Amino acid sequence: VQLQASGGGLVQAGGSLRLSCAASGRTFSRYAVGWFRQAPGKEREFVAAVTWNARTILYADSVKGRFTISRDNAKNTVYMQMNSLKPEDTAVYYCAAGESWVGFRQDYNYWGQGTQVTVSS
């Protein structure tokens, strides 16, 4: 499985962005997907995750109520709508996928290349 994250950019505080994670491979629809982010000088951290059928969704406390993860298995794509963005959301955002549900852990099998999100104050 190859993952391609996109949709990042520069936005003012309070603005919105929608990230996409497009995947190759017919079995992607059976994979759990997670979003992680890494800010400069910090460790990579969990943001959100969704099971293959979207019945279970997890969010980091820092993004609850502002970010929404969703998926369209027919399009082999997972999205993350990010609203009310804050400067502290600035980071490189990565999507990851795996056959097993690992939730907030970073034990995913496949990782995308990352997309930069920059929120100005």
Side-chain angles (χ1 to χ4, degrees):
V1 174
Q2 292 186 325
L3 305 176
Q4 179 75 35
S6 62
L10 174 63
V11 64
Q12 289 187 332
S16 299
L17 285 173
R18 188 176 80 156
L19 304 185
S20 297
C21 177
S24 63
R26 290 179 292 178
T27 58
F28 179 73
S29 61
R30 305 294 296 184
Y31 284 18
V33 173
W35 283 99
F36 295 81
R37 65 187 181 186
Q38 187 167 21
K42 295 187 178 182
E43 294 186 351
R44 188 167 59 191
E45 65 176 7
F46 168 75
V47 178
V50 59
T51 52
W52 70 272
N53 57 7
R55 288 183 180 176
T56 300
I57 291 176
L58 294 179
Y59 294 102
D61 288 343
S62 59
V63 306
K64 278 181 183 176
R66 300 188 299 121
F67 290 13
T68 302
I69 189 171
S70 62
R71 65 188 301 159
D72 185 340
N73 285 339
K75 294 183 178 180
N76 274 8
T77 303
V78 171
Y79 305 98
M80 187 160 69
Q81 178 67 41
M82 306 188 298
N83 298 328
S84 303
L85 283 162
K86 304 175 182 179
E88 51 264 43
D89 294 319
T90 295
V92 177
Y93 283 71
Y94 299 90
C95 61
E99 298 175 357
S100 301
W101 172 245
V102 297
F104 59 85
R105 302 199 312 267
Q106 301 198 24
D107 302 328
Y108 289 84
N109 302 104
Y110 309 100
W111 290 80
Q113 87 291 355
T115 184
Q116 176 71 46
V117 171
T118 303
V119 184
S120 63
S121 58

